[in-house]
Amino acid sequence: MTNKIKIGVAGLGTVGAGVLKIINAHGELLQARTGTRLEVTAVSGRDRNKDRGVPIEGLAWYDNAADMAKDPDVDVVLELIGGSDGVAKDLCVSALTLGKHVVTANKALLAIHGTELAELAEKHGVSLAYEAAVAGGIPIVKALREGLAGNAISRVYGILNGTCNYILTEMEETGGEFDNILQDAQKLGYAEADPSFDVDGVDTAHKLAILTSLAFGTPVDFNSVYIEGIRDVTAADIAAAQEFGYRIKLLGVSRRTDKGIEQRVHPCMVRTDTAIANVSGVFNAVVADGDFVDSTVYVGRGAGEGPTASAVVADIVDIAIGRHSATFGIPVEEMSPLPMASIESHVGCYYVCLTVYDRPGVIADVSAVFRDENISIESLLQRGRSESEAVSVILVTHEAQEASVVRALSKIEKFAHSVATPRMIRIVSL
Ligand SMILES: NC(=O)c1ccc[n+]([C@@H]2O[C@H](COP(=O)([O-])OP(=O)(O)OC[C@H]3O[C@@H](n4cnc5c(N)ncnc54)[C@H](OP(=O)(O)O)[C@@H]3O)[C@@H](O)[C@H]2O)c1
């Protein structure tokens, strides 16, 4: 007799419809791999009559997705609706409480409620699987949790948002400014009508909070992620980065330091000869550094119907086979809430861009501020020469503490010859 696993799919948008397509296309292959027939028995969406590009006739329909959890004909619930609360959370809580496995692609939900949901899954002896929630088609959850299980992880970082990487790549290739490239990306469907979650770094931060928990065995702590998006990156910054041998990427970085775990999302200057600098367009990449394995790099599509659904189906396969791991690698009661380091304690090199009047003594004044804050300058470049108009002064520092750099920039902003708020981009050595 063939085993059967009955699946309820809540959310029939990009990801949900994609999952149905894979199960339809690869039913036999999946059965051969798992020894189990994967059968979709129930679905839920807002609009029953919408064409999903995939047949749903004959499947039980739920207007209220949370009710699907109670369906005796559903063993595994796929939560593919989205949002950190509301129906997505209600559905997951109710399914886990009823002892049903949950697969989700919802990074917002896991970043905010991940530990609580993991606890619920453990209490009821079921899986809470979420490969699709971080870096879409890249199997990074499996890589960190299973593949690198023999290592202590010192750092995990990556390009976790395809929209931002696409915009930064286009800015570099065309010399265009952020606003124009964003509009083009929206027309091409690479950016949402409301792009704030992506370009302001929140989506990357959700994914980073999950990676941190997996890498360091800490409860998911989204609130301590430092977040800065890409809106303020200018074409001039990108050109200057190129001159110094860098490329600008929005990275999520999680790192063990002697002050605690640093979790930060911000534009980074990375050397052009690094693997991450060469990941362009909508692609994502994650690098995980382990003490025995050294550095490992994973690249692939971080979003879209096929890649995301591929990750969801991989989770269903695990459940069908009976492969089970603690949600974040170790049971919740064994997680240790490590201290989180503040961004002010971050130590690194900085790219700084000042806009000042080119008057005698300006450079000396700037240098004095940096000297007083114990920051040494590696290189300094002045753009243009005009006493009446503002010029750019670009400098790169040696390693310095963030708090000192912030103080220095605030002093410089108060100079009479300062024209605009000084800007800085952190340089990340990889
Ligand atoms: N798209 C990607 O590339 C991607 C990548 C990684 C992770 N994710 C995550 O995957 C999840 C789904 O994303 P998506 O892109 O597939 O979203 P989407 O295309 O907007 O689809 C959302 C689906 O949820 C349904 N829905 C909304 N409210 C509902 C409710 N109250 N009850 C039942 N169904 C409801 C919608 O129904 P209607 O169709 O009837 O309106 C729609 O089918 C999100 O958590 C997202 O962050 C997406």
Side-chain angles (χ1 to χ4, degrees):
M1 198 184 83
T2 315
N3 294 326
K4 190 157 81 170
I5 196 166
K6 291 177 277 181
I7 302 164
V9 185
L12 293 168
T14 307
V15 185
V19 171
L20 293 186
K21 286 179 196 168
I22 296 183
I23 294 176
N24 287 348
H26 290 321
E28 283 179 23
L29 182 64
L30 292 165
Q31 184 166 338
R33 286 184 174 153
T34 59
T36 301
R37 193 153 66 84
L38 309 188
E39 185 183 324
V40 176
T41 51
V43 290
S44 175
R46 276 178 301 209
D47 177 358
R48 191 172 188 160
N49 299 316
K50 197 164 164 182
D51 179 8
R52 313 279 172 182
V54 61
I56 54 166
E57 295 81 29
L59 305 177
W61 173 272
Y62 285 91
D63 284 320
N64 180 356
D67 288 344
M68 178 190 273
K70 297 186 214 118
D71 187 332
D73 233 15
V74 169
D75 307 316
V76 178
V77 166
L78 312 189
E79 184 283 297
L80 305 172
I81 296 171
S84 62
D85 288 277
V87 68
K89 186 180 177 216
D90 294 346
L91 172 63
C92 292
V93 168
S94 128
L96 295 171
T97 307
L98 289 165
K100 300 194 177 185
H101 304 286
V102 169
V103 178
T104 179
N106 190 338
K107 52 256 175 177
L109 173 74
L110 289 167
I112 311 291
H113 303 294
T115 314
E116 165 196 341
L117 292 173
E119 210 165 7
L120 206 54
E122 277 167 29
K123 185 171 163 199
H124 295 279
V126 287
S127 293
L128 168 61
Y130 54 94
E131 185 63 75
V134 185
I138 304 174
I140 188 61
V141 174
K142 254 192 201 354
L144 277 171
R145 195 173 53 192
E146 278 102 48
L148 302 181
N151 293 265
I153 305 293
S154 54
R155 180 171 66 166
V156 56
Y157 62 91
I159 296 170
L160 300 172
N161 185 277
T163 304
C164 289
N165 205 43
Y166 173 82
I167 291 172
L168 292 171
T169 303
E170 285 296 299
M171 285 176 75
E172 185 181 337
E173 286 178 359
T174 65
E177 288 292 358
F178 172 82
D179 288 334
N180 299 333
I181 305 285
L182 170 62
Q183 280 169 20
D184 292 346
Q186 285 169 319
K187 280 184 209 138
L188 291 166
Y190 292 143
E192 303 278 344
D194 176 2
S196 24
F197 248 52
D198 292 320
V199 301
D200 294 332
V202 180
D203 177 73
T204 300
H206 283 150
K207 294 165 183 167
L208 186 71
I210 298 169
L211 287 180
T212 303
S213 178
L214 275 166
F216 301 111
T218 58
V220 188
D221 185 1
F222 172 71
N223 289 331
S224 61
V225 182
Y226 171 80
I227 311 173
E228 201 182 297
I230 62 167
R231 285 185 201 269
D232 294 338
V233 176
T234 65
D237 292 332
I238 290 187
Q242 275 175 324
E243 257 179 80
F244 286 108
Y246 295 106
R247 205 160 268 152
I248 299 179
K249 296 287 180 193
L250 182 78
L251 296 188
V253 182
S254 179
R255 191 167 72 113
R256 200 186 276 277
T257 73
D258 53 8
K259 305 247 171 16
I261 304 291
E262 255 185 22
Q263 294 191 88
R264 50 197 170 87
V265 173
H266 52 75
C268 296
M269 287 206 182
V270 291
R271 291 217 66 84
T272 49
D273 57 2
T274 55
I276 207 105
N278 290 290
V279 175
S280 316
V282 295
F283 277 78
N284 280 21
V286 183
V287 180
D289 299 342
D291 53 353
F292 283 86
V293 72
D294 204 351
S295 194
T296 58
V297 184
Y298 313 82
V299 181
R301 289 189 186 274
E305 179 183 293
T308 314
S310 155
V312 171
V313 172
D315 282 341
I316 304 173
V317 165
D318 275 351
I319 290 167
I321 289 176
R323 268 197 302 247
H324 178 77
S325 302
T327 308
F328 295 103
I330 58 171
V332 171
E333 65 174 12
E334 283 171 43
M335 285 180 164
S336 42
L338 298 172
M340 294 288 163
S342 72
I343 193 71
E344 289 77 21
S345 66
H346 172 69
V347 174
C349 301
Y350 292 80
Y351 154 94
V352 172
C353 179
L354 311 174
T355 311
V356 292
Y357 287 117
D358 184 18
R359 293 175 186 148
V362 174
I363 299 295
D365 290 350
V366 167
S367 304
V369 168
F370 277 86
R371 182 204 57 216
D372 293 348
E373 287 294 344
N374 213 10
I375 302 165
S376 71
I377 295 170
E378 186 200 280
S379 39
L380 188 147
L381 205 75
Q382 180 179 326
R383 289 253 178 276
R385 174 147 190 83
S386 156
E387 293 213 9
S388 54
E389 283 173 34
V391 296
S392 293
V393 174
I394 292 164
L395 48 91
V396 170
T397 74
H398 283 296
E399 279 205 340
Q401 198 176 15
E402 174 122 353
S404 308
V405 176
V406 170
R407 267 197 309 273
L409 298 194
S410 125
K411 286 181 195 167
I412 291 169
E413 188 173 5
K414 294 186 188 112
F415 282 1
H417 29 244
S418 217
V419 177
T421 304
R423 292 177 311 104
M424 60 93 154
I425 296 178
R426 297 167 192 86
I427 296 172
V428 180
S429 60
L430 303 172

